[in-house]
Amino acid sequence: MTRKIVVVEDDQPILDLMEILLKKLGYEPVLIPNGLDALTYVRSEPPALILLDIMMSPLSGWEFLERLRTEYNQREIPVILFTASPTVPEKMAELHDPKLGILQKPVTFNELKNAIQQFLA
């Protein structure tokens, strides 16, 4: 199984931090600053997991997730939403997606580690 984790995030300091943390956990981070490029990458090289920011443009995290699951038929890739928005858990619950998790920003090293292990164990 691949050790690649795609991080889709438009904030460069967060991408830099996630790169450090994921490498420390023994994963190979693939850092992508927007959803459109991430969809292209995931189509050609499906990762073990995707860490996905919600508030992005030109494609929001919700739009990315919808296209990933339907248009690209990638239902088995676990996705952890990475957000500071308090409304995300409600919308997430409506999706009934067993391969979908959430981490509230700011996230600690142990929270990240535990969330990844939950999906990749």
Side-chain angles (χ1 to χ4, degrees):
M1 178 162 126
T2 182
R3 301 286 293 172
K4 288 183 182 177
I5 293 180
V6 169
V7 182
V8 188
E9 168 67 63
D10 60 354
D11 186 333
Q12 190 60 49
I14 293 175
L15 279 177
D16 295 342
L17 176 62
M18 295 308 294
E19 180 177 30
I20 292 165
L21 296 177
L22 290 171
K23 283 182 177 179
K24 188 172 183 175
L25 289 169
Y27 295 100
E28 181 183 338
V30 177
L31 311 172
I32 305 176
N34 69 73
L36 294 173
D37 290 345
L39 282 171
T40 301
Y41 179 86
V42 168
R43 174 185 267 174
S44 63
E45 292 190 50
L49 183 132
I50 298 170
L51 288 170
L52 177 63
D53 184 27
I54 295 298
M55 304 295 222
M56 296 184 298
S57 67
L59 193 66
S60 77
W62 294 120
E63 292 165 324
F64 171 91
L65 185 61
E66 173 69 21
R67 289 180 69 179
L68 178 75
R69 296 295 196 232
T70 58
E71 193 176 316
Y72 290 78
N73 201 28
Q74 294 285 349
R75 290 182 171 78
E76 294 305 311
I77 300 173
V79 176
I80 299 175
L81 303 174
F82 193 59
T83 183
S85 173
T87 62
V88 169
E90 296 166 12
K91 182 161 181 165
M92 193 180 97
E94 296 171 8
L95 298 176
H96 305 291
D97 185 339
K99 298 281 187 175
L100 187 60
I102 186 169
L103 279 172
Q104 290 287 334
K105 291 179 186 177
V107 64
T108 68
F109 178 77
N110 284 333
E111 288 170 335
L112 178 65
K113 178 182 173 184
N114 292 337
I116 291 171
Q117 286 176 343
Q118 175 185 343
F119 284 104
L120 300 183

